[in-house]
Every structure is written in structure tokens, then in C-alpha cells.
Amino acid sequence: MSNIEAAKQLYNTCKNMDIDETMQLVLSADNAEEQEFFSMLSDFILQQRQKEVIRQ
């Protein structure tokens, strides 16, 4: 699997995550860089949920 395919698969997995799951990832990160990555993922998911609420 190429990196591009892996990234697309990661997106499809993560887009349906619950905000609590992403916060658990942030809290369980092994290092600061991983924590920052998971924090950005959490922010993205929260933003998508906010857009959905606004549309409704």
C-alpha cells in the first residue's frame, strides 16, 4: 500500500471517530509530536461536527 493510499484509509477511519476517542488519543500519546498530531485530528473532527450543526 502506498503512503497516499494509507493516508486516504486513515482519513476514512478517522472521520467517523467520536470526539471522546480523539481526546483519549491525545491523552495516551507517546510523545509531544504524536500528541500534537492527535490534537490536530481532534480539532478537525470538532470543526466538522460544528459545520454539521450549523448546516442543520
Side-chain angles (χ1 to χ4, degrees), residues 1 3 8 12 15 23-24 27 32 41 43 53 55:
M1 173 183 310
N3 286 339
K8 287 185 178 205
N12 285 321
K15 71 180 182 179
M23 288 309 297
Q24 186 62 37
L27 295 173
L41 173 63
D43 290 346
V53 168
R55 266 187 252 137

Side-chain angles (χ1 to χ4, degrees), residues 6-39:
K8 287 185 178 205
Q9 185 177 13
L10 177 63
Y11 167 75
N12 285 321
T13 299
C14 293
K15 71 180 182 179
N16 295 318
M17 288 183 78
D18 184 278
I19 200 68
D20 292 330
E21 291 174 312
T22 62
M23 288 309 297
Q24 186 62 37
L25 280 172
V26 171
L27 295 173
S28 66
D30 292 334
N31 55 56
E33 184 178 24
E34 192 174 84
Q35 186 177 31
E36 183 179 356
F37 177 82
F38 292 142
S39 181

